[in-house]
Amino acid sequence: MNLNLTLIAQAITFTVFIWATVKFVWPYMLRAIETRQKTIADGLAAAEEGKRSLELSNKRADEEIRKARARATELLSQAEKRGAQMIEEARNAAKEEGNREKAAAKAEIEQQVTRAREQLRDNVAALAVAGAEKILRREVNAKAHSDLLDSIKQQL
């Protein structure tokens, strides 16, 4: 066995192996690597787009929350104003009702005073008639008249 011949045969076999690898295996491996690189690049791009979308969504959510809080504050303010207005209306209605009741009470008191005066007038008239009757029944005497008038004054 010749060492040179073995060495040349191994070199030829290695060259055929390299040529077969470059011709048949290498293109499939490059396509697989390129496909994998493209998949990874697409994934990274999608992740970047997702990150941007998430940031945008967070900004929108923060804006909506801010708007909702502003609206809630506005509604709360309106409710407080309406509550104060209702209290003021109730207060005014109560004052008006109090004034009406006061006026009705004054009118009733006035009627009672008028009735009492009329009753007093009737009593005075009855006493005057009774006094005049007593005076007329007695004899006409100045002393008796003055005594009788004094007694009538005391009755009044």
Side-chain angles (χ1 to χ4, degrees):
M1 229 176 74
N2 194 352
L3 187 62
N4 286 336
L5 186 62
T6 304
L7 198 55
I8 292 176
Q10 284 180 355
I12 292 173
T13 305
F14 187 70
T15 306
V16 170
F17 175 74
I18 298 258
W19 174 80
T21 302
V22 169
K23 182 78 174 167
F24 298 109
V25 177
W26 196 256
Y28 293 113
M29 287 179 47
L30 280 178
R31 270 188 252 133
I33 289 172
E34 288 173 356
T35 304
R36 182 71 180 150
Q37 285 176 342
K38 185 176 185 293
T39 304
I40 290 171
D42 289 345
L44 289 175
E48 202 54 44
E49 181 64 29
K51 188 176 179 182
R52 275 189 247 118
S53 177
L54 178 64
E55 288 175 3
L56 183 61
S57 295
N58 284 339
K59 286 180 183 178
R60 286 181 187 161
D62 290 343
E63 182 66 24
E64 288 300 319
I65 289 171
R66 187 190 61 74
K67 286 180 183 177
R69 284 184 180 156
R71 180 71 177 140
T73 303
E74 181 182 330
L75 289 175
L76 199 63
S77 173
Q78 288 177 355
E80 287 175 355
K81 287 178 183 177
R82 181 64 183 141
Q85 184 181 11
M86 290 174 68
I87 289 171
E88 188 63 32
E89 288 173 359
R91 185 177 294 139
N92 290 339
K95 282 182 182 179
E96 289 174 7
E97 182 65 26
N99 289 339
R100 279 194 296 267
E101 288 180 11
K102 188 176 175 182
K106 282 183 179 181
E108 187 177 337
I109 290 170
E110 194 63 39
Q111 287 177 352
Q112 289 178 358
V113 167
T114 303
R115 279 190 226 126
R117 283 183 184 163
E118 288 176 13
Q119 191 176 15
L120 185 60
R121 282 185 193 136
D122 291 342
N123 289 342
V124 168
L127 284 175
V129 169
E133 185 180 324
K134 285 182 182 180
I135 291 173
L136 291 175
R137 286 192 186 174
R138 282 191 157 187
E139 57 186 68
V140 179
N141 183 351
K143 172 118 173 84
H145 286 286
S146 83
D147 288 341
L148 191 57
L149 287 175
D150 286 338
S151 71
I152 290 173
K153 283 182 188 176
Q154 289 194 2
Q155 284 179 1
L156 291 176

